[in-house]
Amino acid sequence: MIIDCHGHYTTSPPPHEAWRKQQVASRSSAAPMPKISDDEIRESILGGQMKLQKERGTDLTIFSPRASSMAHHDGDAEMNARWSELCNTMIHRVCGLFPRNFVGVCQLPQAPGVAPANCIAELERCVKELGFVGCNLNPDPSGGYWKDPPLTDRWWYPFYEKMVELDVPAMVHVSSSCNPNFHATGAHYINGDTTAFMQFLTSDLFRDFPTLKFIIPHGGGAVPYHWGRYRGLAQDMKRPPLKEHLLKNVFFDTCVYHLPGTELLAKVIPVENILFASEMIGAVRGKDPDTGHYFDDTKRYIDALPALSEADRRGIYEGNARRVYGRLSAQLERQFKA
Amino acid sequence: MIIDCHGHYTTSPPPHEAWRKQQVASRSSAAPMPKISDDEIRESILGGQMKLQKERGTDLTIFSPRASSMAHHDGDAEMNARWSELCNTMIHRVCGLFPRNFVGVCQLPQAPGVAPANCIAELERCVKELGFVGCNLNPDPSGGYWKDPPLTDRWWYPFYEKMVELDVPAMVHVSSSCNPNFHATGAHYINGDTTAFMQFLTSDLFRDFPTLKFIIPHGGGAVPYHWGRYRGLAQDMKRPPLKEHLLKNVFFDTCVYHLPGTELLAKVIPVENILFASEMIGAVRGKDPDTGHYFDDTKRYIDALPALSEADRRGIYEGNARRVYGRLSAQLERQFKA
């Protein structure tokens, strides 16, 4: 089985995002929830993510709401709670319609300046009632101004306690940027990844939460490329070697859109810490004129790595995801029976 | 000749930084300039950068004030003008004492919220009077809150006009971070690099300034690792191919502290766009226990790349720097005669 741990519902039927738009414009959540039929959802998936799964030979996507539309900076805690609920319910419906192809990961009702303990109830609902296996955690709810405390601050601890209790990991994933300095998918996303890793490196977070797990998407931002810098910084700061200090808790996905980058990732990061992902349908949608294949057809890059053993490849494609998403295997069994 | 295009005066005699400290504490520049003798400067260099040049087999460092101490967010325009003047004068003294080993690049008196036209006078002084060949331009004078306009905004244009007129490039280099989310050398530096590249990518800056040149340090942040993402984003946005769109104007240094990263850089970025650099004495000071060599001994990584021809290597070590820093060769001739 080939599990893609990073897919977003970027193709949701238009009334879904339209509801948020009017909510933000009116600063009110009073409008009735959009009416979207199962057929509309089927159509949005069959022509999009499912089509690509088949074409590319992947089996299952760990699926979450569109990251750029979380836009926690556009709302307050109450607005974002209604919006998250709506987005997560849509994901649940996708998983219900295609139980062999999608497992859910939830958006959280974070809001700038609001302690993330406010996200516990929605996480519990999604995990316990909807069968979700993880969440997307935004390290910068201010959308590019980075005004909230670092991920390693006690501000986040009550939420982490619930993650640990429920045995669900978080993908560290920023949303869109309202700071004109940062292009969302070209700068803010990658910076968010790099920033989170360095916050973890300088902290004792995983001494406090030995079983807490994070996936850093987009191939870990700049981290694998600068692995020598991070190893050196950790050593200069008298931190333990990174493998021991962070790699029981921090994992990287493979959303790197060219072979040399994927090669580097697999060369410097232990195979056990790499989870297959494509981010599709996501940031880059075209074909690479040099190869004739889609930039985000990341499976081709993994398949092209001669240094990987078959066991390595199975880990990247399936085993590591089953280990990091502790509830995944049981949830898959439930969904496959459905 | 082996030219290191990225070295900072991180070993300046203590009274130098002490002056800034009291300036920031008192919000006044009235204290007399620190008295620092030529012998103190000689000592700070002979035991530091010169020693490492010799040990590592490099010849010349394009040398600038300590990047983290620019701290434009700590002062206002007037304070930063005095501080830049002092820092640049120190660099000039180093170049005067060791004319065969150091050529100057200046710090600028940027300040949060102040249009960068205020830096023109100091750039002119440094280039015309002190023989400097470039400048360090901080894309975020707010120190991690990113409050000023992107580098591609007309806000910066008067300064760029002067750079073009003087034929000097800028290294895009943030300073320290006062935002607790960003570790300086582990996150803010790398994010600044990635951010600047994406600003350039989305703009027509080099249509307006066809001869303007930037060096993006730290191996270009995350950019080479995500080269497929950037090529794909440019294509989706209907921008020209990156080689044509950016690579006549944007260059990358080799401050990447492990062999696989340097390999990747040389594989995806055209050799003409790569300038040798070590950032020493800089962000990482220890030895890599896996190799027994200093992490920032970046020459070893370049020397270890079998795919480079001798001509490629000469370009990375010398030719590209002489081309990008248009005043370098003439200045070197002057300094070698001194």
Side-chain angles (χ1 to χ4, degrees):
Chain A
M1 175 178 274
I2 295 185
I3 300 172
D4 181 340
C5 81
H6 184 181
H8 298 297
Y9 195 10
T10 45
T11 57
S12 63
H16 174 66
E17 299 232 356
W19 186 88
R20 171 67 165 182
K21 206 171 164 187
Q22 72 72 27
Q23 184 205 35
V24 170
S26 65
R27 309 295 296 174
S28 153
S29 306
M33 289 279 141
K35 285 200 199 324
I36 296 171
S37 69
D38 282 356
D39 276 350
E40 285 173 291
I41 292 178
R42 266 191 211 99
E43 198 187 332
S44 74
I45 292 286
L46 283 171
Q49 287 81 357
M50 279 278 282
K51 183 169 162 278
L52 295 181
Q53 279 186 358
K54 275 182 201 160
E55 283 174 15
R56 300 184 184 180
T58 65
D59 300 299
L60 180 91
T61 302
I62 297 181
F63 204 50
S64 60
R66 181 177 211 152
S68 61
S69 301
M70 300 190 298
H72 297 110
H73 56 274
D74 277 344
D76 57 26
E78 184 278 331
M79 289 166 65
N80 293 348
R82 296 301 302 281
W83 175 230
S84 294
E85 197 188 315
L86 179 55
C87 290
N88 293 331
T89 300
M90 290 291 282
I91 295 294
H92 181 54
R93 291 179 66 190
V94 171
C95 299
L97 291 168
F98 302 101
R100 293 175 168 260
N101 299 88
F102 297 95
V103 170
V105 151
C106 66
Q107 173 176 328
L108 297 168
Q110 297 175 250
V114 177
N118 82 316
C119 300
I120 290 175
E122 181 63 358
L123 182 69
E124 281 209 289
R125 179 182 84 93
C126 289
V127 173
K128 291 188 173 169
E129 295 174 27
L130 311 185
F132 284 23
V133 300
C135 59
N136 288 337
L137 191 66
N138 184 349
D140 173 28
S142 73
Y145 290 96
W146 293 89
K147 289 180 185 165
D148 281 319
L151 288 177
T152 48
D153 192 277
R154 284 175 182 273
W155 172 259
W156 302 85
Y157 274 29
F159 185 75
Y160 295 158
E161 282 163 17
K162 185 54 68 174
M163 280 174 59
V164 165
E165 181 198 313
L166 294 173
D167 190 19
V168 292
M171 180 170 279
V172 180
H173 205 308
V174 296
S175 183
S176 50
S177 156
C178 59
N179 186 329
N181 280 286
F182 301 127
H183 183 274
T185 53
H188 192 42
Y189 279 27
I190 306 295
N191 293 349
D193 304 334
T194 308
T195 301
F197 184 84
M198 194 62 200
Q199 291 177 359
F200 297 147
L201 191 156
T202 50
S203 81
D204 290 313
L205 181 61
F206 303 118
R207 196 188 53 194
D208 292 347
F209 294 100
T211 63
L212 186 64
K213 292 191 181 71
F214 293 102
I215 300 100
I216 305 192
H218 320 109
V223 170
Y225 177 48
H226 286 288
W227 196 238
R229 173 175 286 253
Y230 292 104
R231 289 179 55 235
L233 284 169
Q235 182 175 286
D236 286 358
M237 289 175 202
K238 319 283 182 217
R239 316 299 300 181
L242 293 183
K243 198 163 177 175
E244 183 185 319
H245 182 41
L246 298 180
L247 294 189
K248 283 174 222 134
N249 307 85
V250 177
F251 301 83
F252 300 87
D253 83 7
T254 67
C255 293
V256 177
Y257 294 160
H258 62 152
L259 180 58
T262 308
E263 251 169 9
L264 172 86
L265 172 67
K267 199 180 281 179
V268 301
I269 303 297
V271 165
E272 312 86 78
N273 290 75
I274 302 175
L275 276 63
F276 174 69
S278 70
E279 197 187 350
M280 61 102 172
I281 298 172
V284 174
R285 306 201 175 186
K287 276 185 179 171
D288 185 341
D290 290 354
T291 66
H293 299 289
Y294 287 100
F295 280 107
D296 67 357
D297 188 354
T298 53
K299 182 166 171 294
R300 300 186 70 91
Y301 310 134
I302 309 282
D303 287 341
L305 298 178
L308 294 182
S309 70
E310 265 320 293
D312 290 344
R313 229 177 289 270
R314 274 199 302 275
I316 291 174
Y317 280 138
E318 178 176 359
N320 300 342
R322 287 188 187 266
R323 209 175 66 246
V324 173
Y325 292 84
R327 302 176 79 97
L328 178 59
S329 291
Q331 178 60 24
L332 273 182
E333 252 182 70
R334 271 191 293 277
Q335 291 192 189
F336 269 61
K337 276 189 206 148
Chain B
M1 175 179 274
I2 295 185
I3 301 173
D4 181 339
C5 80
H6 184 180
H8 298 296
Y9 194 10
T10 44
T11 56
S12 62
H16 173 65
E17 298 232 357
W19 186 88
R20 171 67 165 181
K21 206 171 166 190
Q22 72 72 29
Q23 183 205 36
V24 170
S26 65
R27 308 296 296 175
S28 153
S29 307
M33 290 280 142
K35 285 200 199 321
I36 296 170
S37 70
D38 282 354
D39 276 349
E40 286 172 290
I41 292 178
R42 264 192 213 98
E43 197 186 333
S44 73
I45 292 285
L46 284 170
Q49 287 81 357
M50 280 279 282
K51 182 168 163 278
L52 294 183
Q53 280 186 358
K54 276 182 199 156
E55 282 174 13
R56 301 185 184 180
T58 66
D59 300 300
L60 181 91
T61 302
I62 298 182
F63 203 51
S64 60
R66 182 177 210 152
S68 61
S69 302
M70 300 191 299
H72 297 110
H73 57 274
D74 277 344
D76 58 26
E78 183 279 331
M79 288 166 66
N80 292 348
R82 296 301 301 283
W83 175 229
S84 293
E85 197 187 317
L86 179 56
C87 290
N88 293 331
T89 301
M90 289 292 284
I91 294 294
H92 182 55
R93 290 179 67 190
V94 171
C95 299
L97 291 167
F98 303 100
R100 293 174 168 261
N101 299 87
F102 297 94
V103 171
V105 151
C106 65
Q107 172 176 329
L108 296 168
Q110 297 175 249
V114 177
N118 82 317
C119 300
I120 290 174
E122 180 63 358
L123 182 70
E124 280 208 290
R125 178 181 85 94
C126 290
V127 173
K128 291 186 171 169
E129 295 173 29
L130 311 185
F132 284 22
V133 300
C135 59
N136 289 337
L137 191 65
N138 184 348
D140 173 28
S142 74
Y145 290 97
W146 293 89
K147 289 181 186 164
D148 281 320
L151 287 177
T152 49
D153 192 277
R154 285 175 180 275
W155 171 261
W156 302 85
Y157 274 29
F159 185 75
Y160 295 157
E161 282 163 18
K162 186 53 69 176
M163 280 174 60
V164 165
E165 181 199 314
L166 295 172
D167 189 20
V168 292
M171 180 171 278
V172 179
H173 205 310
V174 295
S175 182
S176 49
S177 157
C178 58
N179 185 330
N181 280 285
F182 301 127
H183 183 274
T185 53
H188 191 43
Y189 280 27
I190 306 294
N191 293 351
D193 305 334
T194 308
T195 300
F197 184 83
M198 194 62 200
Q199 292 177 358
F200 297 148
L201 191 156
T202 50
S203 80
D204 290 312
L205 180 62
F206 303 118
R207 197 188 54 192
D208 292 348
F209 294 101
T211 62
L212 186 64
K213 290 192 183 71
F214 293 102
I215 300 99
I216 305 192
H218 320 108
V223 171
Y225 176 48
H226 286 288
W227 196 237
R229 172 175 285 253
Y230 292 103
R231 289 179 55 236
L233 284 169
Q235 182 175 286
D236 286 358
M237 290 175 202
K238 319 285 183 213
R239 317 296 303 179
L242 293 182
K243 196 161 178 177
E244 186 185 315
H245 182 43
L246 297 180
L247 294 188
K248 286 174 218 130
N249 307 87
V250 176
F251 301 84
F252 300 87
D253 83 8
T254 67
C255 294
V256 177
Y257 294 157
H258 62 152
L259 180 58
T262 308
E263 251 169 7
L264 172 86
L265 172 68
K267 197 180 283 181
V268 301
I269 303 297
V271 163
E272 312 87 77
N273 290 75
I274 302 174
L275 275 65
F276 174 69
S278 70
E279 197 187 351
M280 61 104 173
I281 298 174
V284 174
R285 306 199 174 187
K287 276 186 181 172
D288 184 342
D290 291 353
T291 66
H293 299 288
Y294 286 100
F295 280 106
D296 67 356
D297 188 354
T298 53
K299 182 168 172 295
R300 300 186 71 89
Y301 310 134
I302 309 282
D303 286 342
L305 298 179
L308 294 180
S309 70
E310 264 320 294
D312 291 343
R313 230 177 288 272
R314 275 199 303 275
I316 292 173
Y317 281 137
E318 177 176 1
N320 300 342
R322 286 188 187 264
R323 210 175 67 247
V324 172
Y325 292 84
R327 303 175 79 97
L328 178 60
S329 291
Q331 178 61 24
L332 273 181
E333 252 182 69
R334 272 190 292 276
Q335 291 191 191
F336 270 61
K337 276 188 205 148

